[in-house]
């Protein structure tokens, strides 16, 4: 693990391999370790960079962040600063779920830095009023009771029934990531997600080659969201990961890695 001091935080990240840079952004409330299978599958030919977003994993939250939203834009700016620090101008950028919200925010601010975009189990729309209220409830629950209750409520919605039944180690890895997340950072990210702008308008402006992936049983950001992105992003490719729920990269890593590798290998240098 490495750390970079930037924008008032200590950002933890891993870098593995050499070759064209690929940056992968984790979902909520996870951390960079969710990408371990992808790092293993890509690092023979790519320089794979996996940061912990602000407040998650081993990255600190800004001291004044406690009750403030951690916005997707701030997280995108952290990623830009990290890549500046590593002296990498252009790279393939991927994100799952909240990581996808951050990837879209990144594209909006720094389109020329994005060589290719990978949007996994995510959506371009902002939250509905009901979703916002729910996030505020969860943020309060996190800070008053900790992450256990949130983890128990989220796990069955996040994973496919097959994963829950047959892949106990995946369930346990996710549970550990969720309960290990700092409740204040989780609350800040929940409030940041609640105020994220709608990025549907941006889709038609995306010029980077784009891969969209979604678990066939994703209930959080379902196939219909992925189809909106495919329709709007010119030339984009949509791949459905059969049998996976919302955390498709961990639930079906070999299928996910195969699609991702195939997409990256086909990019023009
Ligand atoms: C995630 O997996 O990052 C979250 O489920 C995203 C969300 O709550 O919208």
């Amino acid at each position: 693990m490495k750390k970079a001091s930037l924008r008032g935080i200590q950002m933890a990240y891993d870098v593995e391999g050499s070759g064209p840079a690929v940056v992968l952004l984790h979902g909520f409330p996870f951390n960079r370790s969710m990408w371990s299978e992808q790092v293993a599958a890509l690092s023979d030919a790519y320089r794979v960079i996996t940061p912990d977003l602000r407040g998650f994993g081993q990255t600190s939250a800004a001291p004044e962040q406690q009750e403030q939203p951690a916005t997707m834009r701030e997280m995108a700016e952290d990623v830009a600063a990290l890549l500046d620090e590593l002296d990498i101008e252009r790279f393939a950028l991927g994100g799952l779920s909240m990581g996808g919200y951050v990837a879209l925010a990144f594209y909006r601010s720094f389109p020329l830095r994005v060589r290719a975009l990978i949007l996994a189990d995510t959506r371009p729309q902002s939250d509905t009023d009901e979703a916002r209220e729910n996030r505020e409830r969860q943020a309060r629950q996190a800070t008053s009771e900790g992450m256990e209750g949130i983890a128990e409520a989220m796990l069955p919605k996040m994973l496919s029934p097959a994963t829950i039944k047959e892949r106990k180690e995946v369930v346990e890895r996710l549970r550990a990531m969720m309960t290990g997340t700092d409740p204040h950072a989780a609350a800040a990210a929940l409030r940041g997600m609640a105020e994220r702008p709608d990025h549907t308008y941006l889709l038609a402006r995306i010029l980077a080659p784009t891969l969209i992936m979604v678990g066939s049983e994703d209930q959080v950001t379902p196939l219909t969201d992925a189809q909106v992105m495919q329709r709007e992003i010119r030339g984009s490719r949509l791949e459905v990961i059969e049998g996976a729920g919302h955390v498709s990269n961990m639930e079906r890593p070999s299928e996910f890695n195969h699609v991702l590798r195939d997409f990256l290998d086909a990019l023009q240098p």
Side-chain angles (χ1 to χ4, degrees):
M1 190 258 295
K2 295 186 162 43
K3 277 208 175 177
S5 190
L6 49 90
R7 293 171 38 78
I9 60 173
Q10 292 286 318
M11 192 164 205
Y13 64 100
D14 288 318
V15 190
E16 294 285 341
S18 57
V22 180
V23 178
L24 298 174
L25 307 179
H26 63 80
F28 173 90
F30 309 137
N31 59 57
R32 70 188 195 283
S33 73
M34 74 173 290
W35 296 114
S36 58
E37 283 90 349
Q38 285 67 49
V39 172
L42 298 177
S43 53
D44 64 311
Y46 295 91
R47 189 171 178 199
V48 189
I49 298 141
T50 49
D52 280 335
L53 295 169
R54 63 169 54 209
F56 290 89
Q58 291 163 287
T59 293
S60 60
E64 73 280 9
Q65 201 100 46
Q66 291 289 318
E67 296 304 319
Q68 295 297 317
T71 66
M72 304 300 101
R73 184 173 177 165
E74 272 178 297
M75 292 186 193
E77 286 171 356
D78 295 340
V79 173
L82 175 64
L83 274 289
D84 285 346
E85 185 86 15
L86 296 174
D87 223 2
I88 300 173
E89 179 56 28
R90 293 189 83 227
F91 47 90
L93 177 63
L96 184 134
S97 199
M98 182 183 77
Y101 307 157
V102 177
L104 284 174
F106 188 97
Y107 193 89
R108 179 180 173 177
S109 296
F110 311 102
L112 299 179
R113 299 191 71 169
V114 181
R115 181 173 170 243
L117 201 52
I118 300 120
L119 299 169
D121 300 282
T122 191
R123 64 155 72 86
Q125 307 92 321
S126 51
D127 278 359
T128 60
D129 288 344
E130 189 190 340
R132 279 192 197 107
E133 282 163 23
N134 198 30
R135 297 224 196 256
E136 186 54 36
R137 257 196 308 278
Q138 275 194 334
R140 289 187 188 165
Q141 183 185 358
T143 47
S144 61
E145 297 166 23
M147 293 300 288
E148 278 74 16
I150 291 177
E152 288 321 308
M154 283 181 90
L155 275 170
K157 295 191 193 132
M158 287 211 160
L159 301 170
S160 72
T163 302
I164 292 174
K165 190 152 163 254
E166 292 153 23
R167 308 281 317 279
K168 297 277 183 249
E169 75 290 358
V170 172
V171 181
E172 289 320 311
R173 255 177 80 196
L174 275 172
R175 192 196 309 276
M177 277 189 242
M178 291 166 121
T179 55
T181 294
D182 170 22
H184 291 282
L190 283 162
R191 293 181 173 125
M193 285 193 279
E195 62 175 58
R196 75 188 190 281
D198 195 298
H199 278 140
T200 311
Y201 80 93
L202 182 70
L203 302 176
R205 301 189 192 170
I206 293 178
L207 300 175
T210 301
L211 170 64
I212 299 158
M213 282 190 267
V214 65
S216 61
E217 295 173 53
D218 185 342
Q219 305 173 44
V220 181
T221 48
L223 178 60
T224 46
D225 289 333
Q227 285 167 332
V228 168
M229 296 192 287
Q230 187 199 18
R231 212 170 36 238
E232 296 290 321
I233 305 176
R234 219 165 310 143
S236 60
R237 169 170 160 197
L238 169 62
E239 296 282 349
V240 178
I241 308 297
E242 290 301 329
H246 183 57
V247 197
S248 58
N249 72 310
M250 286 176 64
E251 296 184 65
R252 290 283 183 275
S254 42
E255 294 81 348
F256 189 101
N257 293 347
H258 178 77
V259 169
L260 179 56
R261 181 72 193 236
D262 187 57
F263 171 74
L264 291 171
D265 286 353
L267 292 173
Q268 303 296 328

